[in-house]
Amino acid sequence: MPVISMFYGVVVSLFFLDNKQHHLPHVHARYQDDEAVFAIPDGQILEGALPPGKIRLVQAWIEIHREDLMADWSLAVQGQPVFRIDPLK
C-alpha cells in the first residue's frame, strides 16, 4: 500500500486495485495504532476510527486535495503507480 502523504503523525495510503471492498474512491489513514478509511468524494469515514482531531485534519486534507486524490485513484484502479500528494501544512 503506497504512502501518498504524511502530516502531523498521520500516514495516508492508497491501495492499488482496491475498489472491491468499499466500492468508493477512498484512502486509508493511520495514526499510531488507529486506522480509518475515508471516502474521497465527501471525506466521510467508511470504516475504522481515528482520534477526533486527526479525523478533522484528514478531512481538511481531502477537501484541499480532492482533485489530486481522484487522479491518483484513477491510476490505482488501473494498477498504475500513484503520485505523492503534498501534506497538510
Side-chain angles (χ1 to χ4, degrees):
M1 168 169 47
V3 173
I4 58 171
S5 194
M6 291 186 286
F7 48 89
Y8 302 107
V10 176
V11 178
V12 182
S13 303
L14 192 83
F15 282 107
F16 279 44
L17 301 173
D18 184 23
N19 62 347
K20 292 182 177 71
Q21 182 178 355
H22 299 292
H23 305 288
L24 282 174
H26 63 277
V27 294
H28 296 252
R30 287 189 324 263
Y31 176 75
Q32 296 178 350
D33 293 331
D34 297 321
E35 183 173 352
V37 178
F38 290 82
I40 295 170
D42 60 9
Q44 294 301 308
I45 294 179
L46 300 174
E47 181 180 324
L50 293 178
K54 299 304 179 181
I55 290 172
R56 288 189 295 275
L57 290 174
V58 173
Q59 288 172 330
W61 178 80
I62 289 171
E63 179 71 26
I64 293 166
H65 296 288
R66 186 165 286 120
E67 188 174 310
D68 294 329
L69 287 163
M70 289 306 297
D72 264 3
W73 180 262
S74 293
L75 291 171
V77 296
Q78 295 173 34
Q80 297 183 30
V82 296
F83 295 96
R84 292 200 47 107
I85 297 175
D86 289 338
L88 193 62
K89 298 177 184 175

